[in-house]
Amino acid sequence: MADVQTDQDTITITLPDGSERTYAAGTTGREIAESIGAGLARDALAIKVNGAVQDLSRPIDTDATIAILTWRDAEGKETFWHSSAHLMAEALQALYPGVKFTIGPPIDQGFYYDIDPSGHQISSDDFEQIEAKMQELAQRDVAYERRAVSKDEAIDYYEDAGNEYKLELIEALDDGDITFYEQGDFTDLCRGPHIPSTGRIKYPKLLSVAGAYWRGDEQNPQLTRIYGITFPKQKLLEDFLEKRRLAKERDHRKLGKELGLFTFNSEKVGPGLPLWLPKGATLRETLQNFLKDEQLRRGYEPVITPHIGRLELYRTSGHYPYYKESQFPPIRMGDEDADYLLKPMNCPHHTQIYDNDLHSYRDLPVRLAEFGQVYRYEKSGELGGLTRVRGFTVDDAHIFCRPDQVKAEVKDAIDLALKVLRALDFKEFRAQVSLRDPNDTEKYVGSDERWDQAEQAIREAADEMGLDAIEVEGEAAFYGPKLDFMVKDVLDREWQLGTVQIDYNLPERFDLTYIDEHDDRQRPVMIHRAPFGSLERFIGVLIEHTGGDFPTWLAPVQAKILPIGDDFNDYAREVANRLRAADIRVKVDDSDETVGYKIRQAETAKVPYMLVVGGREEEAGTVAVRQHGEGQQDVVPVETFIDRLQAEVDAALS
RNA sequence: GCUGACGUAGCUCAACUGGUAGAGCAGCUCACUUGUAAUGAGCAGGUUGGGGGUUCGAGUCCCUUCGUCAGCUCCA
């Protein structure tokens, strides 16, 4: 279909390397690919013409800059998976007559299709059969054919099919802008583009089935969503499955259990309420101490507030009833005419600490820090491991400052967050600046002018700190813009960890003030910041990031002393005492086991250092050092080992 | 909360179409006294998540409830 009529007989095509080639007008992408090379033609999935991805079969009528897309291009993969969604739909149509198709887009890793099963029940047990059908269909290697249809034609087609979902989609489309794609017996309303033919899709794998609401709205009917992924080569599928297997190995829920860090085992305690075991608590306190020290150096002051507060506090702050649904219900005592709320946030309490004193502009900023435990009633289906819990700890601090100090404070908060990420070797994270939605300024508190200032401050601070932050409009909280650090877990799910948020709302609501140089009362700006975010979530992601091999400074047990026999238990204990005196976390394995067994135990527990001691060591006052995962190292005096370990810890935290 | 899957010893997992709940590891006891990733033997360990039902008989089938997982929705 020639959209653009031109008088040109020939067209000039510019390739990604900048070279130009001349073709007859109407040459297709496939022909261009063939003219470049047989290999490229074989791998070609789609073509990008002046920035728009389209089918290889479509003729090109004008001069254009093009790129032939293959599996190596993100857009090539996207097209491949989109076409795979159609192939899966064809298989489903063959196996489950009457199912209605809605939407089936590609995603980061594969694709899904939302269907109305129309009475069929599809479960993961059926995956093998569906995959087999997909392979069978793919082997027929039929073309994906694009067909422009009129709106009436499209409506007729789906009225015949009785597919109200597609009709709803067509409703929103303009006549003349509607296309069907067909492959084999399957026809789908689709914008495209698609790969040339089904034969490219050789290795399908269905991943999961779940409910999803039509158009993501809880009020709408629930559809069945089937997730899948496909590959052109077996090796790629195997690599993908291997990666998933490895990810499962690193799952923090599994490692948390194996390493004895935390447990959710007791149904009596309640869902989403983690119990920290001694080793996990040690790890967590070590992390907290690291941050406390860092904060002291940066002028933060510690505060401590109770776990509950009067409901009135949260009415004033505006959190209640706005977030009523995700809070534990208020507690009412019979003899007191007031309700109490289990605190969902620390900030209201902190405002009251600020308000305990009269503040001069000279005193600002005031930085109040607390590891504050908060409680939120997350929906049951939302809970998961440590990443989503109902009771968690925020490494919260609230900075009360003058408007002219905002940028410097945001910069310091970013610096602190970066320090934390660096100390824990997080190299892959994303920084996101969330701004207000320019089309819906109604839902935000505070004047436009203030928002402009705040957004500018946060943007400049991010920029000056060298952050390559992406900006997203409409993601800001109602009270101010924010900057978040996001990190992915082993399953590639992205979690928000650290955050810096500017807030003009709470100082207003609590009528917080400071006295300026003209003896006038002024409103301070509040900055919420939490470099870890939630300790629980952070540690969950950290476990997966390290695979349980924590850096020495964080390891719950840093060294385990392994006497080779009972005769050396005393010496082992003596060494342990010397290490403890140097603040090293140490355990002695004085069980009746062989050294080989003790080593195995320590290795599987991922203890960084094993110190084997026997007669030779006792006589010389030494330890035989074995490093986790590295095997036997050397035999050194106890003091040397202490010095080394301390140097390692200092280096990691500097 | 919704849809689906799952729940057997502390952990990891067995138990054909309904027919006496098993194993390895961990634990305990005893022996061994060990030199760099599992010493040997023995013992103990369960109302098969809870409740109800069908059946001569239920880990297995049905209902219900709690929990876990995946996804949806939401997230101060």
Side-chain angles (χ1 to χ4, degrees), chain A residues 346 370-374 376 392-396 530 533-535:
Chain A
N346 298 302
E370 174 179 22
F371 287 92
Q373 181 113 31
V374 297
R376 297 182 189 172
F392 61 98
T393 311
V394 186
D395 54 332
D396 227 344
S534 138
L535 256 307

Side-chain angles (χ1 to χ4, degrees), chain A residues 460-473:
Chain A
E460 283 178 19
D463 199 44
E464 287 170 28
M465 292 305 296
L467 275 189
D468 189 18
I470 59 156
E471 294 189 2
V472 187
E473 286 184 342

Side-chain angles (χ1 to χ4, degrees), chain A residues 345-416:
Chain A
M345 305 222 73
N346 298 302
C347 21
H349 280 89
H350 288 186
T351 64
Q352 298 310 290
I353 291 177
Y354 176 86
D355 212 23
N356 183 53
D357 280 317
L358 197 58
H359 294 276
S360 154
Y361 71 97
R362 298 172 193 275
D363 302 334
L364 301 185
V366 168
R367 308 182 186 92
L368 305 179
E370 174 179 22
F371 287 92
Q373 181 113 31
V374 297
Y375 302 88
R376 297 182 189 172
Y377 190 79
E378 303 289 355
K379 290 182 190 170
S380 58
E382 270 311 319
L383 301 171
L386 285 180
T387 38
R388 204 66 186 273
V389 290
R390 285 181 174 163
F392 61 98
T393 311
V394 186
D395 54 332
D396 227 344
H398 295 97
I399 300 166
F400 301 86
C401 65
R402 304 190 307 258
D404 63 291
Q405 294 171 320
V406 169
K407 186 167 133 189
E409 289 304 311
V410 171
K411 278 174 75 171
D412 187 65
I414 292 172
D415 187 57
L416 177 58

Side-chain angles (χ1 to χ4, degrees), chain A residues 42-59:
Chain A
R42 197 170 50 240
D43 289 345
L45 298 172
I47 182 170
K48 196 170 181 177
V49 181
N50 292 331
V53 182
Q54 63 180 52
D55 299 335
L56 283 167
S57 58
R58 296 186 68 183

Side-chain angles (χ1 to χ4, degrees), chain A residues 579-603:
Chain A
L579 298 191
R580 264 186 216 112
D583 289 330
I584 294 169
R585 295 183 291 273
V586 61
K587 282 227 174 2
V588 175
D589 184 346
D590 57 4
S591 64
D592 290 343
E593 295 294 346
T594 60
V595 184
Y597 187 78
K598 290 179 182 181
I599 286 171
R600 183 182 159 78
Q601 291 291 301
E603 288 281 3

